[in-house]
Amino acid sequence: MKKTVTTLADGRELIYYDSADDTVRDAVDPRPLDAVSTSSEIRRDPLLGDSVAIASHRQGRTYHPPADECPLCPSREGRHSEIPDTGYDVVVFENRFPSLAGDSGRCEVVCFTSDHDVSFAGLTEEQAGLVLEAWTDRTADLAELPQVAQVFCFENRGAEIGVTLGHPHGQIYGYPFVTPRTEQMFRSMDSHRAETGRNLFDDVVARELADGERVVLEGEHWVAFVPYAAHWPYEVHLHPRRRVPDLRELDEAARTEFPQIYLELLRRFDRIFGPGEPPTPYISAWHQAPFRAPGREEFALHLELFTIRRTPGKLKFLAGSESGMNVFINDVPPEAAAQRLREVASE
Ligand SMILES: [Zn+2]
């Protein structure tokens, strides 16, 4: 893998990750961009104790790419996108309009491929492996920034969940604090340790494997299951069998097997609702240990993949109970979801 770090016209960082070690990336961004000015502000909710990022810097945009021109496709003669070169394998750059910036963290965009019309599920194993390298390398680089406490790599896929750019891409957030979900997992982990003397994640994975009813897919180094108390209609948790706190600690064997397992999961997701249905909207979310949290070695890196679609044409909305009270109502029993996800395995 070859990594090339460069800067865009407004000073944002852009990083190419190429499969071929002899790739040269020296294109310069010729666009007349003003320097990025961001003023995102973190406000703490006194009742809930959680944080809200108030991003008020969206005015002042000076560069509007025409709607029919994708800013994530490579540049070509007379048509300059966010990526100066005329081709790329995987590329990461700082978001021009970030929700978190400066002392308040960092937001990056990851383009999974230069091919506008493919989805992640349509990538080759080599391409998916390169994306994993990019996620891992970004986690390592962001770990060095004092303002970043936790790194979140994720993909939103589908117009139903508000994705406006069709180009296959994901995002990386470097939060300046430990997120509420992660804090909650740490609390559960600590009380489980106090009560049983064991690691919570190890016990959860062991229980799913022993039960078997909700297991979706098993590899030599990874296991995927629908959790016992799934919140979403179709939700899968993917764990490496050897527990590690973050992407940097995955061993070579797990890295090598990951593309095969993850691509199969994504392809099954697209088949859940049968042929003729539009691609399944999904959120794919990497959970990693915060960098400086006590007990981080106990945390289990894992990926949570879920869709908000319940049945063809019907979405799960976060309505009164979910949005008002944080109580999820799930109409699809986790065992039925797991069975469906086994039925639609690739042949
Ligand atoms: Zn594109």
Side-chain angles (χ1 to χ4, degrees):
M1 191 264 283
K2 169 85 179 287
K3 176 183 179 183
T4 311
V5 181
T6 177
T7 46
L8 294 170
D10 54 12
R12 284 175 296 143
E13 205 170 29
L14 180 139
I15 305 134
Y16 295 98
Y17 295 91
D18 287 291
S19 295
D21 289 334
D22 58 352
T23 309
V24 177
R25 301 286 181 200
D26 54 7
V28 172
D29 180 9
R31 297 172 300 170
L33 297 181
D34 290 340
V36 182
S37 72
T38 56
S39 54
S40 116
E41 180 190 345
I42 305 293
R43 294 191 185 176
R44 197 152 181 89
D45 181 314
L47 297 184
L48 296 177
D50 64 357
S51 300
V52 180
I54 312 283
S56 55
H57 49 264
R58 295 199 165 238
Q59 60 272 36
R61 291 185 186 213
T62 51
Y63 178 75
H64 297 270
D68 60 336
E69 291 187 350
C70 173
L72 308 185
C73 276
S75 288
R76 53 175 202 269
E77 194 60 38
R79 218 290 273 160
H80 296 287
S81 72
E82 287 282 60
I83 297 94
D85 214 319
T86 52
Y88 62 84
D89 287 347
V90 171
V91 73
V92 175
F93 59 88
E94 287 180 79
N95 196 322
R96 180 150 169 81
F97 300 99
S99 324
L100 307 166
D103 293 340
S104 304
R106 178 145 155 156
C107 288
E108 300 181 339
V109 176
V110 188
C111 301
F112 300 140
T113 167
S114 61
D115 182 350
H116 184 89
D117 295 314
V118 77
S119 69
F120 201 116
L123 298 182
T124 63
E125 287 187 17
E126 188 193 7
Q127 288 176 305
L130 190 60
V131 175
L132 176 64
E133 290 308 307
W135 284 329
T136 307
D137 186 70
R138 295 317 300 145
T139 302
D141 276 358
L142 294 175
E144 303 298 318
L145 300 182
Q147 71 269 35
V148 173
Q150 181 180 351
V151 168
F152 178 41
C153 306
F154 64 103
E155 180 190 3
N156 298 328
R157 200 280 284 264
E160 289 105 320
I161 46 179
V163 181
T164 49
L165 291 172
H167 199 108
H169 72 287
Q171 300 182 66
I172 299 174
Y173 276 21
Y175 293 102
F177 50 79
V178 178
T179 63
R181 273 180 73 89
T182 305
E183 275 185 348
Q184 209 166 332
M185 287 184 205
F186 267 75
R187 280 195 296 275
S188 304
M189 192 176 84
D190 290 345
S191 40
H192 189 81
R193 170 68 73 190
E195 282 164 26
T196 68
R198 294 192 305 270
N199 179 280
L200 173 63
F201 295 100
D202 292 351
D203 280 4
V204 165
V205 174
R207 171 181 160 178
E208 291 297 348
L209 287 172
D211 188 313
E213 209 185 350
R214 287 173 300 275
V215 173
V216 169
L217 181 57
E218 284 196 65
E220 198 180 331
H221 303 284
W222 295 85
V223 14
F225 55 87
V226 178
Y228 172 70
H231 287 54
W232 299 94
Y234 293 89
E235 172 176 344
V236 169
H237 292 192
L238 175 64
H239 283 251
R241 286 186 193 265
R242 189 178 72 84
R243 173 167 52 82
V244 293
D246 65 37
L247 286 165
R248 297 173 297 178
E249 316 241 3
L250 279 178
D251 57 29
E252 266 321 297
R255 278 178 196 289
T256 306
E257 193 186 54
F258 174 79
Q260 179 201 332
I261 301 279
Y262 185 52
L263 290 171
E264 170 64 11
L265 279 179
L266 292 181
R267 288 164 190 167
R268 290 190 195 185
F269 257 58
D270 275 343
R271 296 186 203 116
I272 292 174
F273 303 104
E277 283 301 311
T280 305
Y282 66 75
I283 292 171
S284 174
W286 277 112
H287 288 257
Q288 307 200 72
F291 297 125
R292 293 169 283 275
R296 73 180 306 277
E297 292 301 318
E298 290 259 308
F299 191 84
L301 165 79
H302 67 282
L303 185 138
E304 298 189 5
L305 172 68
F306 57 92
T307 180
I308 57 169
R309 192 182 284 165
R310 292 187 285 136
T311 54
K314 285 201 180 123
L315 299 183
K316 163 82 188 160
F317 285 105
L318 296 189
S321 185
E322 291 86 357
S323 296
M325 282 292 146
N326 275 2
V327 178
F328 274 68
I329 318 280
N330 182 2
D331 298 337
V332 182
E335 294 73 26
Q339 190 185 343
R340 181 63 185 152
L341 286 162
R342 289 192 298 265
E343 279 166 12
V344 294
S346 303
E347 286 164 12

